[in-house]
Coordinates of all heavy atoms in Angstrom, one line a residue:
D194 N 85.0 62.1 111.0 CA 84.7 62.4 112.3 C 85.9 62.9 113.2 O 85.6 63.2 114.5 CB 84.0 61.2 113.0 CG 82.6 61.1 112.5 OD1 82.0 62.0 112.0 OD2 82.0 59.9 112.7
L195 N 87.1 62.9 112.7 CA 88.2 63.3 113.4 C 88.0 65.0 113.5 O 87.2 65.5 112.8 CB 89.5 63.1 112.7 CG 89.9 61.5 112.7 CD1 91.1 61.3 111.7 CD2 90.3 61.1 114.0
P196 N 88.8 65.6 114.5 CA 88.7 67.0 114.6 C 88.8 67.7 113.3 O 89.6 67.3 112.5 CB 89.7 67.3 115.6 CG 89.9 66.1 116.4 CD 89.7 65.0 115.4
A197 N 88.1 68.8 113.0 CA 88.0 69.4 111.8 C 89.4 70.0 111.3 O 89.7 70.1 110.1 CB 87.1 70.7 111.9
E198 N 90.3 70.3 112.3 CA 91.5 70.8 112.0 C 92.6 69.8 111.6 O 93.7 70.1 111.3 CB 92.1 71.7 113.1 CG 92.4 70.9 114.4 CD 91.1 70.8 115.3 OE1 90.0 71.1 114.8 OE2 91.4 70.5 116.5
T199 N 92.2 68.5 111.8 CA 93.2 67.4 111.5 C 93.7 67.5 110.0 O 92.9 67.6 109.1 CB 92.5 66.1 111.6 OG1 92.0 65.9 112.9 CG2 93.5 64.9 111.4
R200 N 94.9 67.4 109.8 CA 95.5 67.5 108.5 C 95.4 66.1 107.9 O 95.7 65.0 108.6 CB 97.0 67.9 108.6 CG 97.2 69.4 109.0 CD 98.7 69.7 109.1 NE 99.4 69.0 110.1 CZ 100.6 68.9 110.3 NH1 101.4 69.4 109.3 NH2 101.2 68.2 111.3
V201 N 95.1 66.0 106.6 CA 94.8 64.8 105.9 C 95.8 64.6 104.8 O 95.9 65.5 104.0 CB 93.4 64.8 105.3 CG1 93.2 63.5 104.5 CG2 92.3 64.8 106.4
F202 N 96.7 63.6 104.9 CA 97.7 63.3 103.9 C 97.3 62.0 103.1 O 97.1 61.0 103.6 CB 99.0 63.1 104.6 CG 99.6 64.4 105.2 CD1 99.2 64.7 106.5 CD2 100.5 65.2 104.5 CE1 99.7 65.8 107.1 CE2 100.9 66.4 105.1 CZ 100.6 66.7 106.4
V203 N 97.1 62.3 101.7 CA 96.7 61.2 100.8 C 97.8 60.5 100.3 O 99.0 61.0 100.2 CB 95.8 61.8 99.8 CG1 94.6 62.5 100.3 CG2 96.6 62.8 98.8
C204 N 97.6 59.3 99.7 CA 98.7 58.4 99.1 C 98.7 58.6 97.6 O 99.8 58.3 97.1 CB 98.3 57.0 99.4 SG 99.5 55.8 98.9
H205 N 97.7 59.2 97.1 CA 97.8 59.4 95.5 C 97.0 60.7 95.3 O 96.2 61.2 96.0 CB 97.0 58.3 94.8 CG 97.7 57.0 94.9 ND1 98.8 56.6 94.2 CD2 97.3 55.9 95.7 CE1 99.1 55.3 94.6 NE2 98.2 54.9 95.5
D206 N 97.5 61.3 94.2 CA 96.7 62.5 93.7 C 96.6 62.3 92.1 O 97.6 62.1 91.5 CB 97.4 63.8 94.0 CG 96.4 65.0 93.7 OD1 95.2 64.8 93.8 OD2 96.8 66.1 93.4
Y207 N 95.4 62.4 91.7 CA 95.1 62.4 90.2 C 94.3 63.7 89.9 O 93.1 63.8 89.7 CB 94.2 61.2 89.9 CG 94.8 59.9 90.4 CD1 94.2 59.3 91.5 CD2 95.8 59.2 89.8 CE1 94.7 58.1 92.1 CE2 96.3 58.1 90.3 CZ 95.7 57.5 91.4 OH 96.2 56.3 91.9
P208 N 95.1 64.8 89.8 CA 94.4 66.2 89.7 C 93.6 66.5 88.5 O 94.1 66.0 87.4 CB 95.7 67.1 89.8 CG 96.8 66.3 89.2 CD 96.6 64.9 89.7
P209 N 92.6 67.1 88.6 CA 91.9 67.5 87.4 C 92.7 68.6 86.7 O 93.7 69.1 87.2 CB 90.6 68.2 88.0 CG 90.9 68.5 89.3 CD 91.9 67.5 89.9
K210 N 92.4 68.7 85.4 CA 93.2 69.6 84.5 C 93.3 70.9 85.1 O 92.3 71.5 85.5 CB 92.6 69.6 83.1 CG 93.4 70.3 82.0 CD 92.8 70.2 80.7 CE 93.6 70.9 79.6 NZ 93.1 70.8 78.3
G211 N 94.5 71.5 85.1 CA 94.7 72.8 85.5 C 95.2 72.9 87.0 O 95.5 74.0 87.5
R212 N 95.2 71.9 87.7 CA 95.6 71.8 89.2 C 96.9 71.1 89.3 O 97.0 70.0 88.7 CB 94.5 71.2 90.1 CG 95.1 71.2 91.5 CD 94.0 70.8 92.5 NE 93.5 69.5 92.6 CZ 94.2 68.4 93.0 NH1 95.5 68.5 93.3 NH2 93.6 67.2 93.0
D213 N 97.8 71.7 90.1 CA 99.1 71.0 90.4 C 98.8 69.9 91.3 O 97.8 69.8 92.1 CB 100.0 72.0 91.0 CG 100.5 73.0 90.0 OD1 100.5 72.8 88.8 OD2 100.9 74.1 90.4
I214 N 99.8 69.0 91.4 CA 99.8 67.9 92.4 C 99.7 68.4 93.8 O 100.3 69.4 94.2 CB 101.0 67.0 92.2 CG1 101.1 66.3 90.9 CG2 101.1 65.9 93.3 CD1 100.0 65.3 90.7
Q215 N 98.7 67.9 94.6 CA 98.7 68.2 96.0 C 98.5 66.9 96.8 O 98.0 65.9 96.3 CB 97.4 69.0 96.4 CG 97.5 70.4 95.5 CD 96.2 71.2 95.7 OE1 95.4 70.9 96.6 NE2 96.1 72.3 95.0
W216 N 98.8 66.9 98.1 CA 98.6 65.7 98.9 C 98.2 66.1 100.4 O 98.0 65.1 101.2 CB 100.0 65.0 99.0 CG 101.2 65.8 99.2 CD1 101.6 66.3 100.4 CD2 102.1 66.2 98.3 NE1 102.7 67.0 100.2 CE2 103.2 66.9 98.9 CE3 102.3 65.9 96.9 CZ2 104.2 67.5 98.3 CZ3 103.4 66.5 96.2 CH2 104.3 67.3 96.9
E217 N 98.0 67.3 100.7 CA 97.6 67.7 102.1 C 96.3 68.5 102.0 O 96.2 69.5 101.3 CB 98.7 68.5 102.8 CG 98.3 69.0 104.2 CD 99.4 69.7 104.8 OE1 100.5 69.8 104.4 OE2 99.1 70.2 106.0
T218 N 95.4 68.2 102.8 CA 94.2 69.0 103.0 C 93.8 68.8 104.5 O 94.6 68.5 105.3 CB 93.0 68.4 102.1 OG1 91.8 69.2 102.2 CG2 92.8 67.0 102.2
T219 N 92.5 69.1 104.9 CA 92.1 69.0 106.2 C 90.7 68.3 106.2 O 90.0 68.2 105.3 CB 91.9 70.3 106.9 OG1 90.8 71.0 106.2 CG2 93.2 71.1 106.9
V220 N 90.4 67.8 107.4 CA 89.0 67.2 107.7 C 88.0 68.2 107.3 O 87.0 67.9 106.6 CB 88.9 66.6 109.0 CG1 87.4 66.3 109.3 CG2 89.8 65.4 109.2
A221 N 88.1 69.4 107.8 CA 87.1 70.4 107.4 C 86.9 70.6 105.9 O 85.7 70.8 105.5 CB 87.5 71.8 108.1
K222 N 88.0 70.6 105.2 CA 87.9 70.8 103.7 C 87.3 69.6 103.1 O 86.4 69.7 102.1 CB 89.3 71.1 103.1 CG 89.8 72.5 103.5 CD 91.2 72.6 102.9 CE 91.7 74.1 103.3 NZ 93.1 74.3 102.8
Q223 N 87.6 68.4 103.6 CA 87.0 67.2 103.1 C 85.4 67.2 103.3 O 84.6 66.9 102.4 CB 87.6 66.0 103.7 CG 89.1 65.7 103.3 CD 89.2 65.0 101.9 OE1 88.3 65.1 101.2 NE2 90.4 64.5 101.7
R224 N 85.1 67.6 104.6 CA 83.6 67.5 104.9 C 82.9 68.6 104.1 O 81.7 68.4 103.8 CB 83.4 67.8 106.3 CG 84.0 66.7 107.2 CD 83.7 66.9 108.7 NE 82.2 66.7 109.0 CZ 81.7 66.5 110.1 NH1 82.5 66.3 111.2 NH2 80.5 66.4 110.2
A225 N 83.6 69.7 103.7 CA 82.8 70.8 103.0 C 82.8 70.5 101.5 O 81.7 70.9 100.9 CB 83.6 72.1 103.3
S226 N 83.8 69.8 101.0 CA 83.8 69.8 99.4 C 84.2 68.6 98.8 O 84.4 68.5 97.6 CB 84.7 71.0 99.0 OG 86.1 70.8 99.5
N227 N 84.5 67.4 99.6 CA 84.8 66.2 98.9 C 83.7 65.8 98.0 O 82.5 65.7 98.3 CB 85.1 65.1 100.0 CG 85.6 63.8 99.2 OD1 84.8 63.2 98.5 ND2 86.9 63.5 99.4
V228 N 84.0 65.6 96.6 CA 83.0 65.3 95.6 C 82.2 64.1 95.8 O 81.1 63.9 95.3 CB 83.6 65.4 94.2 CG1 84.2 66.8 93.9 CG2 84.7 64.3 94.1
H229 N 82.7 63.2 96.7 CA 82.0 61.9 96.9 C 81.4 61.8 98.3 O 80.3 61.1 98.4 CB 83.0 60.7 96.7 CG 83.5 60.6 95.3 ND1 84.6 59.8 95.0 CD2 83.1 61.1 94.1 CE1 84.8 59.9 93.7 NE2 83.9 60.6 93.2
V230 N 82.1 62.4 99.4 CA 81.6 62.1 100.7 C 81.5 63.4 101.5 O 81.6 63.3 102.8 CB 82.5 61.1 101.4 CG1 82.3 59.7 100.8 CG2 83.9 61.4 101.4
R231 N 81.3 64.5 100.9 CA 81.2 65.7 101.7 C 79.9 65.5 102.6 O 79.0 64.7 102.4 CB 81.0 67.0 100.9 CG 79.8 67.0 100.0 CD 79.7 68.1 99.0 NE 78.7 68.1 98.2 CZ 78.6 67.4 97.0 NH1 79.7 66.7 96.6 NH2 77.5 67.5 96.2
D232 N 79.8 66.4 103.6 CA 78.6 66.3 104.5 C 77.3 66.5 103.7 O 77.2 67.3 102.8 CB 78.7 67.5 105.5 CG 79.8 67.1 106.6 OD1 80.2 66.1 106.6 OD2 80.0 68.1 107.4
G233 N 76.3 65.7 104.0 CA 75.0 65.8 103.3 C 74.9 64.7 102.3 O 73.7 64.4 101.9
I234 N 76.0 63.9 102.0 CA 75.9 62.8 101.1 C 75.8 61.5 102.0 O 76.6 61.2 102.8 CB 77.1 62.6 100.2 CG1 77.1 63.8 99.2 CG2 77.1 61.4 99.4 CD1 78.3 63.8 98.3
G235 N 74.6 60.8 101.9 CA 74.4 59.6 102.6 C 75.0 58.4 102.1 O 75.5 58.3 101.0
E236 N 74.9 57.3 102.9 CA 75.5 56.1 102.5 C 74.8 55.5 101.1 O 75.6 55.1 100.2 CB 75.4 54.9 103.6 CG 76.1 53.7 103.2 CD 76.0 52.7 104.4 OE1 76.0 53.2 105.6 OE2 76.1 51.5 104.2
A237 N 73.6 55.5 101.0 CA 72.9 55.0 99.8 C 73.3 55.7 98.6 O 73.6 55.2 97.5 CB 71.5 55.0 100.0
E238 N 73.4 57.1 98.7 CA 73.8 57.9 97.5 C 75.2 57.6 97.1 O 75.6 57.4 96.0 CB 73.6 59.3 97.9 CG 74.1 60.3 96.7 CD 73.9 61.8 97.1 OE1 73.4 62.0 98.2 OE2 74.3 62.6 96.2
F239 N 76.1 57.5 98.2 CA 77.5 57.2 97.9 C 77.7 55.8 97.2 O 78.4 55.7 96.3 CB 78.3 57.2 99.2 CG 79.8 56.7 99.1 CD1 80.7 57.6 98.5 CD2 80.1 55.4 99.3 CE1 82.0 57.2 98.4 CE2 81.4 55.0 99.2 CZ 82.4 55.9 98.7
V240 N 77.1 54.8 97.8 CA 77.2 53.5 97.2 C 76.6 53.4 95.8 O 77.3 52.8 95.0 CB 76.4 52.5 98.1 CG1 76.3 51.1 97.4 CG2 77.1 52.3 99.5
A241 N 75.6 54.1 95.5 CA 75.1 54.1 94.1 C 76.2 54.7 93.2 O 76.4 54.2 92.0 CB 73.7 54.9 94.1
M242 N 76.7 55.9 93.7 CA 77.7 56.5 92.8 C 79.0 55.7 92.6 O 79.5 55.5 91.6 CB 78.1 57.9 93.5 CG 79.2 58.7 92.9 SD 80.9 58.1 93.2 CE 80.9 58.2 95.0
R243 N 79.4 55.2 93.8 CA 80.6 54.4 93.8 C 80.6 53.2 92.8 O 81.5 52.8 92.2 CB 81.1 54.1 95.2 CG 82.4 53.5 95.4 CD 83.5 54.4 95.2 NE 84.1 54.3 94.0 CZ 85.0 55.3 93.4 NH1 85.3 56.3 94.2 NH2 85.4 55.2 92.2
T244 N 79.4 52.5 93.0 CA 79.2 51.3 92.2 C 79.1 51.6 90.8 O 79.8 50.9 89.9 CB 77.9 50.6 92.6 OG1 78.0 50.3 94.0 CG2 77.7 49.3 91.9
A245 N 78.4 52.6 90.3 CA 78.4 53.0 89.0 C 79.7 53.4 88.4 O 80.1 53.0 87.3 CB 77.4 54.1 88.8
R246 N 80.5 54.2 89.2 CA 81.8 54.7 88.8 C 82.8 53.5 88.6 O 83.5 53.5 87.7 CB 82.3 55.8 89.8 CG 83.6 56.3 89.4 CD 83.9 57.5 90.4 NE 85.2 58.0 90.1 CZ 85.6 58.9 89.2 NH1 84.6 59.4 88.5 NH2 86.8 59.3 89.0
D247 N 82.7 52.7 89.6 CA 83.8 51.6 89.6 C 83.5 50.6 88.4 O 84.5 50.1 87.9 CB 83.6 50.8 90.8 CG 84.1 51.4 92.0 OD1 84.8 52.5 91.9 OD2 84.0 50.9 93.2
A248 N 82.3 50.7 87.9 CA 82.0 49.8 86.7 C 82.7 50.3 85.5 O 82.8 49.5 84.5 CB 80.5 49.6 86.6
T249 N 83.1 51.5 85.5 CA 83.7 52.2 84.3 C 85.2 52.2 84.4 O 85.8 52.6 83.3 CB 83.2 53.6 84.1 OG1 83.7 54.4 85.1 CG2 81.7 53.6 84.1
L250 N 85.8 51.8 85.5 CA 87.2 52.0 85.8 C 88.0 50.8 85.1 O 87.6 49.7 85.3 CB 87.5 52.2 87.2 CG 86.9 53.4 87.9 CD1 87.3 53.4 89.4 CD2 87.4 54.7 87.3

Side-chain angles (χ1 to χ4, degrees):
D194 282 341
L195 293 170
E198 65 274 13
T199 304
R200 294 178 292 162
V201 176
F202 291 88
V203 301
C204 184
H205 297 282
D206 189 32
Y207 308 103
K210 187 176 181 179
R212 174 168 74 69
D213 291 336
I214 295 293
Q215 298 176 12
W216 47 76
E217 180 181 353
T218 181
T219 65
V220 165
K222 291 177 182 177
Q223 292 279 17
R224 293 186 66 159
S226 61
N227 186 287
V228 294
H229 294 165
V230 288
R231 64 185 177 272
D232 287 353
I234 295 179
E236 182 172 335
E238 181 181 355
F239 172 82
V240 169
M242 176 282 302
R243 188 71 266 170
T244 302
R246 181 175 175 82
D247 288 351
T249 71
L250 297 178

